[in-house]
Amino acid sequence: MAPATSPPADPAAGPAARSAEDAAGLGRARAAAFVAPALVLVAVFLVFPALWTLYLGTTDYRLTGAQAEDPGFVGLDNYLGALGDGGFHRSLWLTLQFVLGSAVLGQTVLGFALAWVLRDRSGPVRRTVEALVLLAWILPGSVVAFLWLALLDRDAGTLNALLGTPGTAWLLDHPMACVIVFNVWRGTAFSMMLYGSALGNVPPSHLETARLAGASAWQTLRDVVFPRIRGHVLTSLLLVSLWTFNDFTPFLLTAGGPDHRSEIMSVYVYRTALGDGRLGFGAAVSLVMILINLVIALLYLRALRERRRTP
């Protein structure tokens, strides 16, 4: 007995009837039912918090006091106040240092360097390096912060013991440098894995041709490797920059101190909204952070689009 087959589509059927079936043959109703749970989660955890933050940013809502029970509408006062606040300017400048030093220069350069050095290696050396780098990435932030506090401790810190500099307070004397190095150590694994995958797509024959032509290591990277992995570089920069810009883990290391010298924007929002109880003002600063994230993403996406247009 021949197996039953679905009847062919009626060529006389109208466009509306034909479009009711998708590629999987589910139809609009059943396809919508499959997508609905994901849309509900997006609405609950992304859309609603964003709209609520936008609303709070236009009020004088506080954690305590009369404004907690009956917040008043203040319009754009919180946003104008943030743009004119010295603490906001300081945190934005520190965040730019944090992103440039940790994400753009630190994680990107170190991640590529590790991927380049390990590209032709195999055996225990490569596995050990990859395991150590990945371990720093997968450990919880609280655990990593505790390890670094033990490393940088003034009295019994491992770093002072190794350098023979007892009593040096690294977190007090160089808070931003410590936070940047700390984040580079934590986040290099992602860039290393991404660049390792990208370098695997560079034909070995191209590298061999460059070597036979007498090209230096820098010329090989500039003329052979980078043009082929430019998209991976931009993707890594985009993701790492956004993650670093919004990272809150440095709070576990320095709590924004001393004297606000490591108070990046995420810590500034936390101190303003929860520490000072000014939820309305903190929501306004959060929305400004979202807009800055959007600008960063658009710049990288524009660079990617120009790359695709380049023959």
Side-chain angles (χ1 to χ4, degrees):
M1 182 177 179
T5 58
S6 57
D10 185 4
R18 290 195 300 269
S19 62
E21 296 292 331
D22 58 12
L26 295 174
R28 289 183 178 178
R30 283 179 289 180
F34 276 106
V35 176
L39 294 179
V40 170
L41 291 176
V42 170
V44 172
F45 293 104
L46 292 178
V47 178
F48 174 74
L51 294 177
W52 183 249
T53 300
L54 179 62
Y55 162 72
L56 286 181
T58 60
T59 68
D60 59 354
Y61 191 87
R62 297 182 66 94
L63 282 177
T64 59
Q67 289 86 356
E69 183 178 355
D70 185 23
F73 180 78
V74 297
L76 298 178
D77 289 352
N78 286 329
Y79 299 96
L80 297 176
L83 296 178
D85 182 46
F88 173 80
H89 296 160
R90 179 185 60 245
S91 66
L92 179 59
W93 172 240
L94 291 175
T95 304
L96 292 177
Q97 295 181 39
F98 185 49
V99 172
L100 289 174
S102 173
V104 178
L105 297 178
Q107 296 180 42
T108 300
V109 173
L110 182 58
F112 178 81
L114 289 173
W116 179 256
V117 171
L118 297 175
R119 72 189 189 284
D120 294 328
R121 296 183 181 273
S122 59
V125 174
R126 177 169 183 169
R127 289 195 295 269
T128 301
V129 174
E130 290 178 341
L132 291 175
V133 176
L134 287 174
L135 184 63
W137 192 38
I138 64 176
L139 282 176
S142 57
V143 176
V144 175
F146 175 80
L147 294 175
W148 274 76
L149 286 173
L151 174 71
L152 301 174
D153 185 71
R154 172 190 292 183
D155 299 321
T158 307
L159 183 61
N160 282 335
L162 293 174
L163 299 179
T165 55
T168 302
W170 298 98
L171 291 174
L172 297 179
D173 298 336
H174 312 284
M176 275 306 298
C178 291
V179 167
I180 289 174
V181 174
F182 161 78
N183 201 60
V184 170
W185 183 82
R186 285 182 59 233
T188 299
F190 174 80
S191 296
M192 182 190 73
M193 291 187 296
L194 183 63
Y195 290 134
S197 175
L199 291 174
N201 296 325
V202 178
S205 59
H206 291 190
L207 299 176
E208 183 65 19
T209 300
R211 186 185 67 82
L212 294 176
S216 64
W218 167 245
Q219 290 173 331
T220 301
L221 290 174
R222 182 191 62 192
D223 300 329
V224 179
V225 177
F226 286 147
R228 295 193 64 90
I229 68 169
R230 184 183 174 190
H232 295 80
V233 173
L234 292 174
T235 301
S236 175
L237 283 173
L238 170 61
L239 295 177
V240 173
S241 296
L242 293 178
W243 290 340
T244 303
F245 188 89
N246 300 285
D247 192 16
F248 185 71
T249 310
F251 178 83
L252 302 175
L253 200 64
T254 64
D259 194 25
H260 307 286
R261 288 166 56 198
S262 61
E263 190 177 67
I264 56 178
M265 288 197 69
S266 58
V267 179
Y268 174 74
V269 171
Y270 171 79
R271 284 184 175 273
T272 302
L274 299 180
D276 298 339
R278 301 162 61 193
L279 285 179
F281 186 83
V285 178
S286 298
L287 188 60
V288 174
M289 289 183 63
I290 293 175
L291 295 178
I292 295 175
N293 280 312
L294 180 61
V295 171
I296 294 174
L298 290 176
L299 290 176
Y300 281 121
L301 291 176
R302 180 177 180 181
L304 281 172
R305 192 178 300 112
E306 292 178 352
R307 171 186 172 272
R308 294 191 184 99
R309 293 175 180 173
T310 303

